[in-house]
Amino acid sequence: MTGTKQLGNFTPEDAPEYGDVLQCMRCGFCLPTCPTFSLTGRERSSPRGRVALARAVSEGKLEFNQAMKEEAYFCLDCRACTTACPSGVKAGEVMEICRAQAHQQQPLPKWQSVFRNFILQKMLPSPDLLETSMLPARLYQKLGIQWLVRNSKILKLAPAWIDKAEGMIPEMHQPLRQQIPQFSPATTEKRGTVAFFLGCVMTLMYAEVSRQTVRVLNHQGYDVITPKEQKCCGAPHLTEGDRETTRTLATHNLDLFMKLDVDAIVTDCAGCGSALKEYEEILAERQDHNRLEHFRHKIKDISEFLVEVGIRTEGLKPVNKVVTYHEPCHLCHAQGITKQPREAIQSIPGIELREMDESSWCCGSAATFSLKFTEESQKILDRKLNNVKKTEADVLITANPGCHLQLAWGLRQAEMPQPVLHLSELLGEATPD
Ligand code: SF4
Ligand code: SF4
């Protein structure tokens, strides 16, 4: 996906491959699937338009200009266009690469660049530092400052993204990485051993989800190894155009997990799963191809893994609820996993899965998109919430922390009654102690 040769007006480091932008035959099948095209009606904000911009830069007909940079960041990287494209064009990934180009060609002002580099290159790669950085948020909640801030409505005076970011913070607990045992044994007849990739947002914000993932795997007959030395998967760095730090993190995680004798490497975070599966491509120039392929085949989303090995349903407790399922883009479009979460939900006795319209339409979260483009993100979210409402389901299920944060916030704002649960939490409810 990325080349190292000079290509038109792209710099050689991390430029798109010419073949990838040449593939577009301008059929337009992708247009109705693109949330930013649907919002704006603007060709340049469509997959076809974005690829045309990248092609013009790669052919030297266009400078890497402000419009190119804006479109690279305005793309949600939801990959819905990839699912729709008959030519295999990956407009979202091309735009991800263009973000790396934006940082090379149009560097940020000094202070912004120092801040960005600190977050991406120091804080995210260090689990200890990352966990320490959450302490103020925990104190903010524990000391009742959050209650005061929310009730004073003072945040209505702040920029919209600050108000939203504050409103999205879930109840914070001790990070899970410090508490989760390195080894959790199977609690029923043993079927095998898996490694668990514990994503950063999961350990910091949704510890209960990952606790349930391990519990469910143990009850399904798997020993679970959770290496404490694992680091961020590198997905935030891809999103922010820092591909070199992704490579460093990918090399670390690859070496760590490949030492383990396990049947699979399971994750409950769609974004992490997608990034881990992309190591094959990200490290293609630096690692042995067979090793990367082997790693790629071991990475499994929790639903993908359970359905592949067969869910043991004997002993599961009934959960008498109507649920609806929002498909995370990085699960359905980036990994092609659509049937497995539904099959896992329907394996629970008593559950009714009621499909929503446009279940695979983005929720508007898309990493930092929801804070950078608050208005557009809200419009995308409103469309999703309307579809949730029409189902009259009791619970909204999803499988990615970014979607979880955005949907839970949106439902609260809209005063809708549905709680948001991760699939693992639902499976956990059905799993006996
Ligand atoms: S990106 Fe794919 S679907 Fe969209 S216009 Fe090009 S070839 Fe057609
Ligand atoms: S990744 Fe999503 S937002 Fe970006 S061009 Fe494709 S469909 Fe549009």
Side-chain angles (χ1 to χ4, degrees):
M1 197 79 195
T2 54
T4 47
K5 293 192 205 104
Q6 182 77 39
L7 181 65
N9 289 326
F10 285 119
T11 54
E13 199 187 327
D14 283 326
E17 292 276 5
Y18 187 47
D20 291 336
V21 292
L22 208 58
Q23 262 170 303
C24 177
M25 54 188 183
R26 304 194 55 76
C27 65
F29 285 177
C30 54
L31 300 183
T33 69
C34 175
T36 56
F37 179 68
S38 165
L39 277 179
T40 61
R42 234 174 20 208
E43 176 71 14
R44 77 170 220 195
S45 301
S46 74
R48 185 173 67 186
R50 289 183 168 118
V51 173
L53 281 173
R55 181 173 174 174
V57 176
S58 65
E59 288 174 348
K61 293 176 183 158
L62 184 73
E63 291 297 319
F64 191 99
N65 59 14
Q66 191 59 24
M68 184 73 250
K69 181 178 176 179
E70 281 167 14
E71 286 313 329
Y73 276 96
F74 189 47
C75 169
L76 296 146
D77 196 16
C78 69
R79 321 260 173 114
C81 51
T82 306
T83 303
C85 178
S87 278
V89 176
K90 296 178 174 173
E93 283 170 79
V94 171
M95 288 303 106
E96 230 179 33
I97 295 164
C98 285
R99 293 178 189 185
Q101 284 286 319
H103 283 285
Q104 293 171 39
Q105 302 217 23
Q106 300 176 11
L108 293 169
K110 183 81 177 151
W111 72 268
Q112 282 183 29
S113 163
V114 168
F115 181 69
R116 172 183 178 269
N117 292 346
F118 174 75
I119 301 285
L120 294 177
Q121 293 165 15
K122 293 275 185 289
M123 203 169 98
L124 287 173
S126 161
D128 291 336
L129 198 54
L130 191 59
E131 287 165 10
T132 309
S133 74
M134 290 295 131
L135 190 61
R138 293 213 301 279
L139 287 175
Y140 173 71
Q141 291 186 333
K142 289 241 155 28
L143 299 175
I145 306 168
Q146 182 175 53
W147 185 88
L148 282 176
V149 167
R150 288 190 179 177
N151 283 285
S152 69
K153 308 265 186 247
I154 194 170
L155 286 173
K156 297 292 165 216
L157 304 173
W161 73 268
I162 294 184
D163 188 20
K164 180 167 182 186
E166 198 284 334
M168 286 169 93
I169 308 173
E171 196 183 330
M172 304 284 285
H173 299 282
Q174 280 284 336
L176 183 62
R177 191 183 64 101
Q178 296 166 358
Q179 306 163 40
I180 197 165
Q182 188 119 338
F183 179 79
S184 305
T187 50
T188 58
E189 192 191 334
K190 186 174 163 179
R191 290 204 272 178
T193 304
V194 297
F196 181 42
F197 187 87
L198 182 62
C200 306
V201 187
M202 285 304 196
T203 177
L204 298 175
M205 297 189 176
Y206 289 118
E208 189 50 30
V209 171
S210 292
R211 221 176 255 123
Q212 292 304 328
T213 302
V214 173
R215 198 174 146 260
V216 167
L217 285 165
N218 290 157
H219 183 261
Q220 289 290 323
Y222 287 89
D223 289 343
V224 178
I225 299 171
T226 310
K228 302 259 182 206
E229 309 79 26
Q230 58 185 289
K231 292 187 176 179
C232 171
C233 63
H237 306 80
L238 289 176
T239 306
E240 289 303 320
D242 180 2
R243 301 181 73 83
E244 197 45 40
T245 306
T246 301
R247 290 188 190 103
T248 308
L249 291 166
T251 306
H252 171 88
N253 288 327
L254 182 81
D255 290 345
L256 178 68
F257 280 91
M258 288 301 275
K259 274 192 224 138
L260 304 174
D261 182 18
V262 290
D263 307 325
I265 303 162
V266 177
T267 179
D268 53 18
C269 167
C272 297
S274 163
L276 293 166
K277 286 177 180 176
E278 283 173 22
Y279 284 4
E280 191 178 3
E281 201 176 289
I282 292 161
L283 293 177
E285 306 283 317
R286 302 188 185 185
Q287 294 274 342
D288 173 62
H289 175 71
N290 291 335
R291 191 166 181 245
L292 287 172
E293 202 177 30
H294 190 198
F295 180 77
R296 159 84 177 72
H297 286 300
K298 285 208 164 188
I299 301 296
K300 303 282 173 195
D301 179 74
I302 177 72
S303 64
E304 183 185 16
F305 178 72
L306 291 177
V307 168
E308 211 167 283
V309 296
I311 301 178
R312 279 183 183 162
T313 53
E314 64 273 19
L316 287 187
K317 295 184 288 183
V319 178
N320 296 313
K321 287 178 182 159
V322 178
V323 303
T324 190
Y325 172 58
H326 160 71
E327 304 190 62
C329 300
H330 279 80
L331 200 57
C332 64
H333 298 305
Q335 299 183 60
I337 296 174
T338 59
K339 288 187 193 141
Q340 297 93 324
R342 294 177 161 88
E343 221 173 289
I345 291 170
Q346 284 168 318
S347 71
I348 300 171
I351 279 281
E352 183 192 334
L353 172 61
R354 202 172 284 166
E355 291 288 349
M356 69 170 87
D357 292 339
E358 301 179 330
S359 61
S360 64
W361 191 264
C362 181
C363 66
S365 170
T368 50
F369 182 95
S370 72
L371 299 179
K372 283 181 182 148
F373 301 96
T374 48
E375 242 176 75
E376 292 83 353
S377 171
Q378 184 67 55
K379 286 182 186 156
I380 300 171
L381 177 61
D382 287 344
R383 182 165 172 163
K384 176 63 63 181
L385 295 181
N386 267 335
N387 287 326
V388 173
K389 197 179 220 162
K390 281 191 272 169
T391 65
E392 296 181 357
D394 305 320
V395 182
L396 173 58
I397 304 295
T398 193
N400 185 56
C403 308
H404 202 141
L405 285 166
Q406 167 92 339
L407 293 166
W409 176 82
L411 287 162
R412 273 197 307 275
Q413 297 298 306
E415 299 183 350
M416 286 168 66
Q418 291 85 359
V420 182
L421 290 184
H422 188 286
L423 173 63
S424 291
E425 292 177 288
L426 189 70
L427 289 166
E429 216 175 309
T431 299
D433 292 323

